[in-house]
């Protein structure tokens, strides 16, 4: 099953190849009405795919989102020797079966790693499985410093020798990893996942304190538990892992994407209309749930998902701080800001997770938004309506924010930097078009 043709399902779709010259043309003003299927979560599927490296047995994932990050990670895993088999059906969406009966630790591709921050997760899993790993420094969105010091310190505490020279991380654990007590300085999502992946194969008990509590981590814990791992403390900030047991295969359905849910709900609030967000779960939103409600986004629980619409009072300004889960998700900060740009009244949006996550502000200003940034807070004074402009996405979530802004704006917005949208979302533009949005791809 290990040959490139196995990704044909991915390769056949237009979203797979994000031609750098392609832009999105978004005609503002159409109401969104219809059904929008929420895909499997981007931030859940990546660590789940990596977890397959921990066992020689088959791991099958259902509800896999068709995003560029998934394609890049598929490619990386194939180069490591993992067999991939794709299938598709209407009920579970894309399914992926991974077979890591052999893993070749030396074959990690620098260019691919440079495209995606989550490739750092390969470090813990490959090291735990093979006793060594060699990984170029990971890339990803330019939204802040994004160090990997917590990942490295945790693996060192587990007995790994880690050396970073010439932009390459070399890690060795010739006698295997051993359980350790690790206290994270911040509840880092990636470091929690990396250490969790390493800990299930390490001998003895690992305790991760100040662990991140994002729902995507619980999803990974559930999949690892189905593979036979013993992990206590799911959904809490202390994870205790009894490691060292050989893992078996598992079948797991990826959690729905809470960031896509929040983003599309804001889009509906901006355009008006009513959209059924299929498979969406409001309980995953954390503090973003009440914040969206306060801003005028109505989410009604219905059979099979959530019904999204704008409240009769319209969109009103709110103040928010991004925080680790269950706080307001930093990944929703830019889409929500795009919505608040046309709210009644003013909003204060404070970003506490990433230092450079206001790069969408200049783009929103080109569209007529009234936003000023002071330190980590953006002051947003709502205007009547945005106007179309040519804008550029600089990261995954900024791309979604600019799509949202374009849907509400007067005229045709041209969005460049489309690969960012395709990296994080499963055919978002196509799914919006099915709800009445007027969006086309243009190579001009
Ligand atoms: C993950 C998500 C991303 C989300 C972010 C915060 C994935 C693939 N990506 O990113 O969408 O925005 O969580 O919810 O799941 N830090 C360090 N040293 C480290 C690790 C992190 O200083 O070793 C800092 C980061 O620079 C950042 C903060 O900790 O300021 C949080 O980062 P982290 O939670 O690790 O984010 P990611 O896992 O990169």
């Amino acid at each position: 099953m290990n040959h490139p043709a196995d990704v044909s399902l991915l390769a056949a779709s237009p979203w797979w190849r994000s031609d750098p010259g392609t832009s999105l043309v978004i005609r503002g003003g159409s109401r969104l009405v219809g059904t929008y299927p929420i895909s499997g979560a981007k931030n859940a599927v990546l660590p789940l795919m990596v977890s397959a490296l921990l066992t020689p047995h088959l791991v099958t994932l259902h509800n896999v989102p068709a995003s560029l990050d998934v394609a890049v990670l598929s490619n990386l895993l194939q180069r490591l020797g993992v067999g991939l088999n794709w299938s598709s059906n209407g009920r579970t969406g894309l399914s992926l079966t991974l077979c890591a009966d052999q893993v070749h630790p030396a074959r990690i591709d620098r260019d691919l790693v440079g495209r995606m921050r989550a490739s750092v997760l390969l470090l813990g899993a490959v090291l735990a499985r093979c006793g060594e790993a060699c990984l170029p420094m990971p890339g990803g969105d330019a939204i802040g410093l994004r160090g990997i010091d917590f990942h490295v310190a945790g693996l060192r505490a587990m007995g790994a020798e880690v050396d970073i020279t010439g932009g390459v991380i070399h890690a060795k654990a010739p006698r295997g990893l051993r359980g350790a007590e690790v206290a994270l300085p911040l509840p880092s999502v990636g470091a929690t996942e990396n250490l969790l992946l390493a800990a299930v194969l390490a001998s003895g008990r690992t305790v991760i304190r100040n662990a991140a509590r994002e729902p995507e981590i619980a999803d990974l814990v559930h999949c690892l538990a189905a593979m036979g791992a013993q992990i206590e403390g799911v959904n809490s900030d202390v994870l205790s892992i009894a490691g060292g047991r050989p893992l078996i295969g598992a079948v797991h359905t990826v959690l729905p994407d809470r960031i896509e849910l929040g983003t599309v709900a804001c889009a509906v609030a901006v355009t008006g209309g009513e959209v059924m967000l299929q498979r969406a779960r409001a309980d995953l939103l954390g503090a973003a749930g009440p914040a969206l409600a306060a801003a005028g986004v109505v989410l009604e629980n219905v059979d099979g998902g959530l019904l999204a619409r704008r409240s009769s009072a319209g969109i009103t300004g709110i103040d928010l701080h991004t925080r680790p889960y269950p706080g307001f998700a930093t990944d929703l900060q830019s889409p929500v800001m795009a919505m608040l740009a046309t709210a009644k009244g003013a909003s204060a949006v404070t970003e506490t997770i990433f230092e450079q996550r206001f790069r969408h502000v200049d783009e929103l200003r080109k569209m007529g938004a009234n936003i000023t940034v002071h330190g980590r807070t953006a002051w947003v004074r709502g205007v009547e309506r945005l106007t179309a402009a040519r804008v550029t996405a600089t990261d995954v979530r900024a791309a979604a924010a600019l799509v949202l802004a374009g849907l509400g704006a007067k005229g045709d917005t041209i969005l460049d930097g489309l690969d960012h949208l395709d990296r994080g979302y499963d055919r978002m533009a196509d799914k919006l078009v099915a709800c009445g949005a007027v969006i086309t791809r243009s190579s001009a």
Side-chain angles (χ1 to χ4, degrees):
M1 70 196 261
N2 183 20
H3 57 85
D6 283 336
V7 291
S8 57
L9 260 172
L10 290 175
S13 308
W15 53 265
W16 158 258
R17 288 165 275 109
S18 271
D19 180 347
T22 306
S23 311
L24 219 52
V25 182
I26 306 154
R27 175 152 300 172
S30 301
R31 278 156 49 92
L32 293 175
V33 178
T35 298
Y36 182 108
I38 297 294
S39 299
K42 159 181 135 25
N43 287 354
V45 72
L46 303 174
L48 288 168
M49 288 168 71
V50 173
S51 74
L53 283 167
L54 301 177
T55 173
H57 303 287
L58 298 183
V59 173
T60 296
L61 301 174
H62 296 310
N63 198 28
V64 174
S67 69
L68 199 55
D69 270 4
V70 166
V72 170
L73 184 57
S74 301
N75 220 317
L76 270 165
L77 289 169
Q78 278 193 314
R79 283 164 201 235
L80 282 166
V82 181
L84 304 179
N85 194 13
W86 292 93
S87 59
S88 171
N89 75 46
R91 198 173 48 83
T92 54
L94 268 183
S95 296
L96 173 61
T97 297
L98 303 103
C99 174
D101 53 354
Q102 292 176 37
V103 180
H104 309 291
R107 295 203 203 139
I108 298 180
D109 183 276
R110 179 185 285 267
D111 288 345
L112 290 172
V113 169
R115 291 177 68 172
M116 191 179 59
R117 162 85 180 174
S119 45
V120 72
L121 298 177
L122 295 170
L123 190 64
V126 173
L127 179 63
R129 175 79 187 270
C130 305
E132 60 175 320
C134 176
L135 185 82
M137 285 295 277
D141 287 331
I143 54 177
L145 294 173
R146 307 194 89 178
I148 58 158
D149 44 333
F150 308 161
H151 303 240
V152 170
L155 293 173
R156 282 191 176 135
M158 294 167 78
E161 295 162 23
V162 187
D163 172 49
I164 306 177
T165 31
V168 179
I169 312 159
H170 300 270
K172 275 192 301 192
R175 286 183 299 282
L177 294 170
R178 52 174 195 272
E181 285 260 345
V182 181
L184 294 174
L186 295 170
S188 155
V189 174
T192 303
E193 291 166 347
N194 220 339
L195 299 177
L196 193 51
L197 289 162
V200 291
L201 292 192
S203 60
R205 183 167 293 277
T206 297
V207 179
I208 308 173
R209 298 190 188 280
N210 201 21
R213 288 183 285 160
E214 269 66 5
E216 293 74 23
I217 290 172
D219 208 35
L220 176 62
V221 169
H222 293 314
C223 182
L224 290 170
M227 292 161 73
Q230 296 215 331
I231 303 168
E232 290 163 24
V234 64
N235 291 318
S236 82
D237 62 354
V238 181
L239 293 171
S240 174
I241 304 112
R245 294 154 212 267
L247 299 183
I248 56 173
V251 177
H252 181 83
T253 299
V254 182
L255 187 81
D257 198 317
R258 65 195 162 99
I259 305 302
E260 186 180 30
L261 144 62
T263 302
V264 179
C266 289
V268 180
V270 166
T271 64
E274 190 172 80
V275 171
M276 161 69 171
L277 302 171
Q278 225 173 23
R279 292 193 290 267
R281 280 177 46 189
D283 61 303
L284 301 177
L285 283 171
L292 290 178
V297 181
V298 179
L299 288 169
E300 187 188 327
N301 271 304
V302 289
D303 199 23
L306 295 169
L307 206 54
R309 62 175 180 278
R310 177 169 66 210
S311 97
S312 52
I315 305 169
T316 46
I318 52 165
D319 294 345
L320 65 93
H321 283 69
T322 62
R323 301 261 188 236
Y325 194 84
F328 190 100
T330 173
D331 286 349
L332 279 174
Q333 180 256 107
S334 37
V336 168
M337 194 190 294
M339 173 182 76
L340 295 174
T342 54
K344 280 189 233 113
S347 305
V349 176
T350 304
E351 172 60 51
T352 73
I353 310 285
F354 292 112
E355 314 79 29
Q356 292 170 26
R357 215 170 202 182
F358 280 149
R359 295 177 72 194
H360 50 282
V361 168
D362 281 345
E363 305 306 295
L364 290 172
R365 277 198 194 123
K366 286 181 194 164
M367 301 177 71
N370 182 350
I371 306 175
T372 46
V373 176
H374 298 285
R376 293 200 150 198
T377 300
W379 297 92
V380 187
R381 292 170 185 85
V383 297
E384 183 71 27
R385 194 168 179 196
L386 298 180
T387 43
R390 184 159 200 147
V391 289
T392 302
T394 47
D395 67 74
V396 170
R397 310 306 176 185
L402 294 170
V403 169
L404 205 154
L407 288 171
K410 185 170 176 354
D412 286 358
T413 294
I414 301 175
L415 176 63
D416 298 320
L418 201 49
D419 52 326
H420 289 294
L421 188 71
D422 293 336
R423 271 190 52 209
Y425 299 94
D426 175 351
R427 294 161 293 172
M428 176 181 265
D430 296 351
K431 292 191 282 185
L432 289 169
V433 166
C435 295
V438 182
I439 303 176
T440 49
R441 285 190 186 234
S442 143
S443 47

